[in-house]
Amino acid sequence: MTERKQRLEELKADLLGRLEKYAAHQHRDAGALEADFAEQAVQRQNDEVVDGLEAEVRATLNQVNHALARIADGVGDQCESCGKPINPQRLEALPRSTLCMDCAE
Ligand SMILES: [Zn+2]
């Protein structure tokens, strides 16, 4: 249990680091005025890719925070949906999981 919490904390730090990088990227792009239209188009595509990655990271971060909150409440091992214990192997493979195998499907 402690190990899982530690893994989640590490994952959280990693995700926050990525969000910072994305923010720096978007900030730099906003400041750069590209004269060439083709370059602008490429820039916009990059921005969309980064936006997509950022949304993914944010969604994962929400799951990590949610799992950490449940651990703090002492129900980290219980399925959020049916209340049964979550298979330890599942938690090992996916520490941010808050649903048992059956409910996740
Ligand atoms: Zn369940």
Side-chain angles (χ1 to χ4, degrees), residues 9-69:
E9 295 284 5
E10 282 168 11
L11 188 58
K12 184 177 171 177
D14 180 59
L15 292 168
L16 286 172
R18 282 198 231 178
L19 283 179
E20 265 176 43
K21 266 190 227 163
Y22 295 152
H25 173 95
Q26 301 296 50
H27 186 71
R28 190 188 61 218
D29 283 355
L33 281 173
E34 300 290 346
D36 187 86
F37 182 78
E39 275 181 40
Q40 277 185 359
V42 170
Q43 194 102 40
R44 249 197 310 275
Q45 272 179 348
N46 285 342
D47 287 352
E48 276 166 27
V49 170
V50 172
D51 281 347
L53 288 171
E54 191 184 358
E56 216 171 282
V57 169
R58 279 191 195 285
T60 307
L61 185 61
N62 283 341
Q63 288 176 358
V64 169
N65 281 332
H66 186 57
L68 281 170

Side-chain angles (χ1 to χ4, degrees), residues 79-86 98-104:
C79 172
E80 197 169 15
S81 177
C82 69
K84 289 180 193 160
I86 303 173
T98 56
L99 291 171
C100 73
M101 214 93 79
D102 291 340
C103 294

